Amino acid sequence: MGRRTQAERDAMTTEIGFALFAGAVMAGAAYFGVTEFLPDVVGSLRGREDLLRHLSAAATVVVFVAVVTIVLTRFRHALRTDRRAPAPPDGPGEARPSRPGRTNPNS
């Protein structure tokens, strides 16, 4: 893939931090949902704390891994498409204003 710039390394670090944070938040929501709302929806689970503990642990792990994987995969895909995209033809420095002091190239 080649050498990465400092900006790309910083973007990766930020994206990993975001993925871990988003995964933790969503895993917490899944845990809360299983332990608090599932017994109200499925009445037969009331009083079965051992089963709820196992279900909430499984849901937490699955949701955390899924969110982190999705976020990092989307970032990797976006990074690859950005690297392959050609530079626009009217990049910086090519289109100059016709009169000094104007910022619009067509002025």
Side-chain angles (χ1 to χ4, degrees), residues 67-92:
V67 169
V68 169
T69 302
I70 289 169
V71 170
L72 292 180
T73 303
R74 292 179 78 186
F75 175 72
R76 189 172 118 196
H77 177 70
L79 186 65
R80 282 186 178 173
T81 57
D82 285 348
R83 282 187 159 219
R84 279 190 257 153
D90 58 338

